[in-house]
Amino acid sequence: MTASDRRVRIGTRGSALARWQAEHVASALMAVPGAPDPDLVLIKTEGDRIQDVPLSEVPGKAFFTKEIEEALLGRKVDLAVHSLKDLATEMPPGLTLGAVMEREDPRDVLLFSPSLSQGESLSQGESLSYQKSLSSGESPFSPEDLPPGAKVGTSSLRRQALLARWRPDLEIAELRGNVPTRIGKLDDGQYDAIVLAAAGVKRLGMSHRISAYLPFEFFLPAVSQGAIGIQARAGEADIMEWVGGLEHADTRAATTAERAFLRTLEGGCQIPVAAFGECGEAGLRLRGRVCSLDGNRGVDGEIGGPPEEAERLGRDLAEELIRGGGEEILAEIRAVSNGK
């Protein structure tokens, strides 16, 4: 394919966040010399259709990507844009991760319900102000402002386990839907608070809804959280050249280590696993955590090394956690998963 032949078709889910990400990639491609103009192709995935089942109970691991990958393999689209955390660590033959774009804020955030944010449900009747500025990255509340017994919504096993470990007094409830849908359920009073990825909230221009950032010492993010992955067919040199201009080397190294960590641990089932890699002057630092489903037990670790050895670092850290008690936790999770 050459730039004069046809436009480049970008496959994406149709949610507001997915479209934002695809449009972000399209805009970046338009600045690449010689790249053809992009068109978005909206594709509905199994994860979009099945909204009444917890994510942990949906069979398979590609429920937000499978249909898009099939369209890419079937040449119905030329590129696919994903939240990298949704993309399986093992790709179908013939596909490759053409580029990883610079990461947005990787943290998890709490959004309080309107009544809670106005102080109506807080312990001791204290009224909190929403007047603090978010422009400096400050949030109006602390995570500790959640009152005992507050109902907190999330669909993530990782978030459920970490919430249970951090605040066993909270009521943790299943929450499905795209970002605006989840916020709508919060505003309807179905939850006292919900947990979302900061990246998605910020990309949709809803930073003002962030009530508190969850601290890294308790809440390492999901693998690749905040990063956008661009998938392509292997061996298509022209597309790979255009897409390569969107690559962010530090984010690639960090997420490569995180994905290798998850791949080594996962063993075919979903697990409460968290990881975060970051590149600095001393090289690549990777932190990782494995939790039991109820959050009562966890194994943590950290490793560092050259960014070009990201894959090895991820594997080594996973193996260290397995030896340090993670194997027993993983065995229990697999037993629960196989019993569903």
Side-chain angles (χ1 to χ4, degrees):
M1 186 178 79
T2 65
S4 60
D5 287 334
R6 56 184 171 87
R7 300 167 70 90
V8 63
R9 299 161 299 173
I10 299 175
T12 176
R13 295 169 58 201
S15 71
L17 179 57
R19 291 191 65 160
W20 185 99
Q21 293 176 158
E23 288 166 359
H24 180 63
V25 170
S27 177
L29 272 176
M30 291 176 70
V32 175
D37 290 337
D39 287 324
L40 299 192
V41 179
L42 304 185
I43 300 170
K44 182 169 283 191
T45 68
E46 182 181 25
D48 298 312
R49 291 192 298 269
I50 301 175
Q51 290 289 320
D52 57 349
V53 178
L55 286 180
S56 59
E57 296 179 12
V58 178
K61 295 189 290 183
F63 37 83
F64 287 122
T65 61
K66 180 182 176 183
E67 288 81 358
I68 301 174
E69 291 178 325
E70 288 174 347
L72 187 55
L73 286 168
R75 297 186 173 274
K76 296 177 181 178
V77 297
D78 305 301
L79 293 172
V81 175
H82 307 279
S83 293
L84 189 53
K85 70 176 182 178
D86 291 339
L87 198 59
T89 57
E90 298 283 357
M91 287 192 207
L95 298 184
T96 187
L97 188 57
V100 178
M101 301 187 76
E102 185 172 6
R103 193 175 214 162
E104 206 358 316
D105 190 331
R107 292 176 291 178
D108 287 316
V109 292
L110 279 169
L111 279 64
F112 288 0
S113 68
S115 60
L116 187 60
S117 66
Q118 293 163 16
E120 295 172 10
S121 302
L122 293 174
S123 58
Q124 301 176 355
E126 294 177 348
S127 179
L128 299 180
S129 171
Y130 240 134
Q131 303 307 310
K132 288 186 180 179
S133 171
L134 289 168
S135 60
S136 63
E138 213 177 353
S139 52
F141 305 119
S142 160
E144 285 73 22
D145 287 324
L146 271 177
K151 184 178 181 180
V152 181
T154 176
S155 63
S156 159
L157 283 180
R158 174 188 61 88
R159 290 172 180 153
Q160 290 171 11
L162 294 179
L163 282 168
R165 187 181 186 189
W166 170 59
R167 287 281 304 271
D169 60 290
L170 298 175
E171 178 188 350
I172 303 168
E174 185 70 25
L175 172 65
R176 289 291 312 276
N178 57 38
V179 171
T181 297
R182 295 183 190 199
I183 293 176
K185 291 178 180 180
L186 175 70
D187 290 345
D188 286 344
Q190 298 181 41
Y191 304 88
D192 295 309
I194 61 175
V195 185
L196 296 174
V201 178
K202 290 183 174 184
R203 283 170 174 155
L204 292 178
M206 305 180 79
S207 296
H208 61 284
R209 293 302 308 266
I210 296 173
S211 300
Y213 292 87
L214 290 165
F216 252 38
E217 60 265 32
F218 294 112
F219 287 87
L220 278 182
V223 165
S224 304
Q225 185 159 298
I228 296 173
I230 306 173
Q231 204 174 25
R233 289 183 291 272
E236 296 198 348
D238 50 359
I239 287 183
M240 293 298 291
E241 181 180 355
W242 299 325
V243 169
L246 311 186
E247 175 85 350
H248 188 259
D250 285 354
T251 304
R252 167 74 78 160
T255 56
T256 294
E258 295 167 23
R259 285 166 62 79
F261 175 77
L262 177 60
R263 186 185 307 115
T264 305
L265 288 170
E266 198 166 28
C269 67
Q270 296 184 61
I271 55 176
V273 58
F276 181 62
E278 54 187 337
C279 293
E281 292 183 3
L284 173 60
R285 176 193 182 201
L286 176 67
R287 287 174 279 174
R289 176 174 296 164
V290 180
C291 280
S292 61
L293 291 171
D294 60 9
N296 288 333
R297 290 173 296 129
V299 184
D300 304 88
E302 182 178 323
I303 197 170
E308 57 269 23
E309 296 182 17
E311 185 85 22
R312 176 189 64 79
L313 292 171
R315 289 197 308 268
D316 287 354
L317 182 58
E319 290 167 0
E320 177 185 317
L321 296 196
I322 288 171
R323 292 190 300 269
E327 182 56 45
E328 291 80 3
I329 294 173
L330 294 173
E332 290 180 9
I333 293 171
R334 292 186 189 109
V336 170
S337 179
N338 291 336
K340 287 179 180 176

